[in-house]
Amino acid sequence: VSTVLEFGRIVIYTTSLRVVRTTFERCELVRKIFQNHRVKFEEKNIALNSDYGKELEERCRRVCEIPSLPVVFIDGQYLGVSSAQV
């Protein structure tokens, strides 16, 4: 995924699977934060599309991070670990 193609976009990788409750809750929290601030974003739910999971792994490999949902990219730049995880 090119950062040029994502300029001006927010992409959030999430999951809708409730198997791991804390991960699901973190994804819901991040989604609601953006929605409550009326920020337009693209959500890529890896539970619904396995290609998103592969894409996320590749992107995180480039920034030397182990993917832990939710993951946020703004303008193609990795935002880092969500504050909900700390």
Side-chain angles (χ1 to χ4, degrees), residues 22-85:
T22 55
T23 301
F24 173 77
E25 289 173 349
R26 286 193 314 258
C27 291
E28 287 291 302
L29 176 64
V30 169
R31 181 184 307 108
K32 286 179 183 178
I33 288 170
F34 283 103
Q35 287 173 337
N36 289 342
H37 287 86
R38 299 175 191 234
V39 174
K40 186 177 175 182
F41 63 93
E42 177 182 354
E43 182 175 3
K44 294 189 175 187
N45 187 329
I46 66 168
L48 300 178
N49 186 331
S50 63
D51 290 338
Y52 291 155
K54 294 172 190 169
E55 180 181 300
L56 175 60
E57 286 180 19
E58 175 61 32
R59 292 183 83 165
C60 287
R61 189 175 307 125
R62 283 188 237 146
V63 292
C64 301
E65 287 283 336
I66 298 170
S68 179
L69 299 173
V71 176
V72 179
F73 286 87
I74 298 177
D75 292 336
Q77 299 298 312
Y78 178 67
L79 197 57
V81 180
S82 78
S83 59
Q85 294 173 312

